[in-house]
Amino acid sequence: MTKSTKADWQDRAAQEVKGRDLTWHTPEGIAVQPLYTAEDAPTDPGLPGFEPFTRGPYASMYTGRPWTIRQYAGFSTAEESNAFYRRNLAAGQKGLSVAFDLATHRGYDSDHPRVVGDVGKAGVAIDTVRDMEILFDQIPLDTMSVSMTMNGAVLPVLAFYIVAAERAAVSQDKLSGTIQNDILKEFMVRNTYIYPPAPSMRIVSDIIAYTSANMPKFNSISISGYHMHEAGATAVQELAFTIADGKEYATRAIEAGLDIDAFAPRLSFFWGIGMNFFMEIAKMRAARTLWHDVMTELGAQNPKSKMLRTHCQTSGVSLQEQDPYNNVIRTTLEALSAVLGGTQSLHTNALDEAIALPTDFSARIARNTQLILQEESGVCNVADPLGGSYYIEALTAEITQKARELIAEVDEAGGMTVYVASGKPKAAIESAAAAKQASVDKGETVIVGVNKYRRETEDEIDTLDIDNHAVRQSQVKRLERVRRERDEEAVKVALAALTRGSRTDPADARAEAEKGRDENGVPLPPSQIARLEGLSETNLLALAVEAARADATLGEISSAMEAAFGRYETVPTPVKGVYAAAYEGDARFAQVVAGVEAVARRLEHKPRILVAKMGQDGHDRGANVIASAFADMGFEVLSGPLFQTPEETAKMAIEQDVDAVGASSLAAGHKTLIPEMIQHLRDAGRADIKVVAGGVIPPQDYDFLKKAGVQGIYGPGTNVVEAVADVLRLLGHNMPPAGEEMEAAE
């Protein structure tokens, strides 16, 4: 019997499919063959637990201990979140992963006028150490691993955690867990920054230094690709930019005088896991190889410094409002992909997160997904069960090479801080997001229940609704009580020290102290040298901890640094041309463009739409995709600055004389912010401006918004071309439905 070859298989397959090319091209530009053999697997991946750790950071992997089950959760008040955590821990969850509300992320106390619609909506509100004490009440912080997704207000939040533990008689050296502390990706995609890039990077370094010295069990940074993934990045972009971010943080810490092997073992990573099952597995294996090589290049000697450990979260953007129980299946596949890729901990999203915060019912299903994988599937019985798969090894090698090329481009630009400042990574991710949405809208990428196998009527599901006004009132009362009972003089002293420390460059202070002379060469008095030495030995987290001990609030600590650093602001600049290129030759697209041109002739100007992000919600993928698509179809698009108040949005709409406002909401503030903006338009005599809304909005809220004056609502799964057609109807154009239009064209 002769041995069959790959060429023989290709001949037979070609006959079966009548010569049709079976090669699939991924969004990353990788050509996936229909068959893989040994000749396609170019390298030996080694063994789990051995360098370069491609097959896993530990030799035994899950055969010794399964991954940690986490649920990323937080909402309403600290009391409500604490009760939720305790229920989940009792039901089998092994670690806490805290979601903070947007007011907290952006460094505002709950009584600040800019956060009226954000308090307690997309996470838990934390204003004081007292809030943090309540959040972790009856949870043993000396044994419980706590992960906190916080970047902008990272100093007060971490300081509150440290002081709350102290007040529970748990010393810093016993605390275990992770603080995200990944500010570079905030400037690329998530936008919950506070300060400009340079001082933000100093904060990162100071936290690494402080935790290395005082918190040996605590991970000082979680370098996050997740938010790039959710913003639309391809697997190559997520992989390359995240590893490059990690390289930049390590380089900055080394430049600050830290020994790489002293801090690198406490660095961790965080990946988003999407629906391209095998690509996500390959991405995680490639990440470990790339990080090993980066840390070797930077001079790490300890193997633990070169070992990439990671948390993963299943994708939120892959979840759909339509036929929502399909989301359980999507999450299960993504969870299995993360596990086969070798994650150390995992959060599984709930079925209702496309439209609202998870209920207890959906959170239980999400948690049980992991328990069933651990207890019933057998995946924990073998370390790296897919190692040696021809397809997996070939895919790992290919994505590794493509990521290396992109990392080399970042290095050539001068590192990730410079590259982020150029705007190139943000633009690349937004282009990928727009291309993905166009592919879904055209039906090239199938989403079951959305653009294929669509149901005539959708099931209603219960959703969690937070009473934002009640939560804010509760927080304001506690803030007032804390301020009334604390030592005000101690707070002033601590905050002044923090501002002074923020204005002082520790490296400059250290150099001046060592030199003993000022910039003119005049000898410094001993008292001045002692002060400079003290400054050079103090970092911002240490100063923030002292302010927390004095019961300074989160907003006060943030403002003390803002006095020195300023507050960073930016206006989105969406990409152009992606939709137009994707729809070249498409009849329906051309019909909608013609409709826009007809409206422009009637109005005597291009129809103008303001795409607005109100409140402290910085997630702008949806807003940017809409802005790009509307512009490509002929609208004049104005992208409002992030973090506007409703009054500011209404004022901008009036000043720019727009025809419509598109309000994007992903953080549950729609019932407060959008009606307030509409009222400002009416008060100014501009009720003629059409208002539409899109994003994560539960169907149960549609009637409320329509009664408030919203004229069109576009949730997840909306076809963007049809959304443009609908807005044209609102502007008075007789735009037939897609089916009728296409029939007329035929």
Side-chain angles (χ1 to χ4, degrees):
M1 183 175 178
T2 59
K3 183 178 180 181
S4 300
T5 66
K6 190 171 184 179
D8 296 329
W9 178 89
Q10 289 170 331
D11 289 341
R12 181 167 298 181
Q15 293 172 19
E16 292 173 356
V17 298
K18 297 180 174 55
R20 180 164 52 90
D21 185 8
L22 296 178
T23 301
W24 172 49
H25 294 273
T26 75
E28 294 77 18
I30 293 174
V32 175
Q33 304 168 189
L35 177 71
Y36 284 82
T37 64
E39 63 192 62
D40 299 305
T43 57
D44 177 2
L47 296 171
F50 291 84
E51 298 184 40
F53 306 111
T54 305
R55 299 190 63 187
Y58 307 114
S60 60
M61 288 303 291
Y62 308 141
T63 64
R65 188 180 72 178
W67 66 92
T68 299
I69 298 173
R70 294 187 186 275
Q71 289 300 98
Y72 178 54
F75 55 88
S76 184
T77 62
E79 290 91 343
E80 290 286 337
S81 293
N82 173 262
F84 185 79
Y85 294 157
R86 285 161 57 190
R87 289 196 299 272
N88 285 357
L89 291 171
Q93 183 178 314
K94 300 299 183 185
L96 294 180
S97 190
V98 182
F100 298 95
D101 74 355
L102 289 167
T104 303
H105 274 287
R106 294 271 294 146
Y108 293 116
D109 287 334
S110 295
D111 59 357
H112 196 284
R114 298 195 74 86
V115 299
V116 172
D118 296 304
V119 177
K121 292 296 286 186
V124 61
I126 297 294
D127 296 314
T128 63
V129 173
R130 181 61 189 144
D131 288 331
M132 195 71 82
E133 289 180 280
I134 295 168
L135 184 67
F136 294 119
D137 182 42
Q138 299 183 56
I139 294 174
L141 293 180
D142 52 346
T143 60
M144 180 61 61
S145 173
V146 175
S147 173
M148 293 180 284
T149 301
M150 178 53 62
N151 302 280
V154 62
L155 284 174
V157 164
L158 186 52
F160 288 174
Y161 173 65
I162 290 168
V163 175
E166 287 177 353
R167 292 178 180 177
V170 178
S171 58
Q172 296 180 31
D173 62 312
K174 291 183 173 62
L175 296 174
S176 64
T178 304
I179 189 81
Q180 192 162 96
N181 191 28
D182 176 9
I183 201 63
L184 284 174
K185 68 99 172 46
E186 298 295 329
F187 293 110
M188 277 190 274
V189 291
R190 191 164 175 254
N191 301 312
T192 55
Y193 44 68
I194 300 174
Y195 315 110
S200 295
M201 289 297 288
R202 176 186 166 187
I203 289 170
V204 171
S205 297
D206 280 6
I207 289 173
I208 293 173
Y210 184 96
T211 54
S212 296
N214 300 289
M215 303 167 70
K217 297 181 179 180
F218 200 81
N219 296 319
S220 56
I221 189 169
S222 175
I223 305 150
S224 174
Y226 179 83
H227 300 98
M228 299 182 208
H229 177 279
E230 293 297 274
T234 67
V236 168
Q237 290 169 339
E238 180 189 0
L239 179 56
F241 293 152
T242 305
I243 295 295
D245 279 353
K247 182 177 182 178
E248 184 84 344
Y249 294 134
T251 301
R252 292 300 183 97
I254 293 167
E255 290 173 351
L258 296 177
D259 173 34
I260 188 169
D261 287 317
F263 69 82
R266 302 313 305 175
L267 302 181
S268 68
F269 285 77
F270 175 27
W271 305 105
I273 303 296
M275 285 297 290
N276 190 346
F277 186 80
F278 293 105
M279 181 66 78
E280 297 297 347
I281 296 168
K283 179 182 75 181
M284 295 177 65
R285 301 171 97 252
R288 289 191 289 268
T289 302
L290 288 166
W291 186 242
H292 169 272
D293 293 350
V294 163
M295 296 307 284
T296 300
E297 173 192 332
L298 292 178
Q301 300 297 315
N302 184 350
K304 291 184 177 180
S305 298
K306 308 175 189 181
M307 184 189 295
L308 183 147
R309 289 161 298 274
T310 192
H311 171 69
C312 289
Q313 181 171 337
T314 60
S315 174
V317 77
S318 71
L319 305 181
Q320 303 297 326
E321 174 185 336
Q322 295 79 13
D323 210 353
Y325 291 102
N326 287 346
N327 292 333
V328 178
I329 303 161
R330 293 184 178 105
T331 294
T332 302
L333 283 170
E334 290 168 349
L336 182 58
S337 185
V339 168
L340 293 174
T343 191
Q344 277 64 71
S345 68
L346 177 63
H347 163 76
T348 35
N349 287 330
L351 67 95
D352 48 1
E353 287 184 60
I355 54 174
L357 293 167
T359 61
D360 278 357
F361 170 78
S362 61
R364 179 172 173 269
I365 292 174
R367 183 177 59 253
N368 285 349
T369 298
Q370 295 197 53
L371 290 171
I372 289 168
L373 285 177
Q374 284 190 356
E375 303 289 350
E376 298 185 31
S377 72
V379 295
C380 294
N381 297 333
V382 176
D384 188 29
L386 288 184
S389 156
Y390 301 142
Y391 178 33
I392 287 293
E393 300 302 349
L395 203 54
T396 300
E398 184 118 26
I399 192 175
T400 299
Q401 181 55 35
K402 285 189 173 293
R404 284 193 204 280
E405 293 167 3
L406 192 46
I407 292 169
E409 182 179 314
V410 174
D411 290 342
E412 183 69 22
M416 202 61 189
T417 301
V418 176
Y419 199 65
V420 166
S422 75
K424 289 182 179 179
K426 185 175 182 66
I429 292 171
E430 288 178 6
S431 293
K436 173 66 180 293
Q437 186 62 46
S439 178
V440 171
D441 287 348
K442 292 178 69 178
E444 296 169 346
T445 296
V446 173
I447 309 293
V448 173
V450 177
N451 62 2
K452 196 172 184 179
Y453 312 112
R454 184 75 179 257
R455 304 182 68 187
E456 290 186 8
T457 58
E458 298 289 347
D459 292 329
E460 286 191 14
I461 60 173
D462 292 331
T463 57
L464 180 64
D465 187 27
I466 303 299
D467 186 342
N468 164 243
H469 297 289
V471 174
R472 190 166 186 266
Q473 288 176 352
S474 171
Q475 288 299 119
V476 169
K477 285 182 181 178
R478 185 145 59 228
L479 268 167
E480 291 172 346
R481 185 164 61 250
V482 168
R483 288 174 180 145
R484 187 170 58 247
E485 295 175 354
R486 69 190 183 181
D487 182 340
E488 204 62 37
E489 187 59 32
V491 174
K492 290 179 181 178
V493 170
L495 293 176
L498 182 55
T499 300
R500 191 166 56 247
S502 300
R503 287 180 172 145
T504 304
D505 186 315
D508 290 346
R510 184 164 49 247
E512 195 171 342
E514 291 173 353
K515 186 172 58 175
R517 297 175 182 274
D518 66 17
E519 58 186 11
N520 298 316
V522 177
L524 295 171
S527 60
Q528 177 73 347
I529 292 174
R531 189 184 72 81
L532 290 169
E533 287 176 341
L535 286 172
S536 69
E537 294 171 1
T538 302
N539 77 17
L540 295 179
L541 179 52
L543 291 166
V545 168
E546 289 304 316
R549 286 172 178 149
D551 283 316
T553 71
L554 176 132
E556 290 167 343
I557 292 173
S558 298
S559 294
M561 291 183 288
E562 186 179 339
F565 298 149
R567 184 173 277 268
Y568 185 74
E569 296 179 356
T570 187
V571 177
T573 53
V575 297
K576 296 180 180 179
V578 175
Y579 259 78
Y583 273 92
E584 186 175 1
D586 182 86
R588 177 58 172 171
F589 187 86
Q591 296 283 346
V592 174
V593 170
V596 175
E597 292 169 350
V599 170
R601 287 192 295 271
R602 180 171 55 79
L603 295 175
E604 298 184 344
H605 64 78
K606 285 186 175 183
R608 283 190 288 270
I609 185 169
L610 169 62
V611 178
K613 291 289 296 181
M614 293 181 287
Q616 299 305 306
D617 172 20
H619 295 81
D620 60 354
R621 170 182 176 153
N624 290 334
V625 165
I626 289 295
S628 297
F630 271 65
D632 279 4
M633 282 179 260
F635 271 71
E636 181 182 342
V637 177
L638 304 170
S639 290
L642 296 175
F643 316 123
Q644 283 189 315
T645 64
E647 183 177 9
E648 289 167 345
T649 297
K651 182 180 179 182
M652 183 176 181
I654 294 167
E655 289 176 347
Q656 298 297 324
D657 195 23
V658 301
D659 303 294
V661 175
S664 172
S665 176
L666 275 79
H670 52 272
K671 290 175 71 174
T672 300
L673 300 170
I674 299 176
E676 184 179 333
M677 185 264 293
I678 291 172
Q679 190 59 51
H680 283 299
L681 290 175
R682 289 172 174 167
D683 291 345
R686 291 304 310 272
D688 59 300
I689 295 175
K690 312 298 182 185
V691 176
V692 298
V696 180
I697 301 175
Q700 294 92 318
D701 292 347
Y702 284 13
D703 284 343
F704 173 88
L705 291 176
K706 288 175 180 177
K707 288 176 182 177
V710 176
Q711 293 173 278
I713 303 173
Y714 312 103
T718 296
N719 182 296
V720 179
V721 176
E722 295 310 318
V724 175
D726 195 53
V727 172
L728 290 177
R729 294 186 195 101
L730 293 176
L731 296 178
H733 184 67
N734 185 22
M735 194 79 201
E740 295 178 21
E741 182 120 334
M742 295 304 291
E743 288 172 10
E746 293 168 357

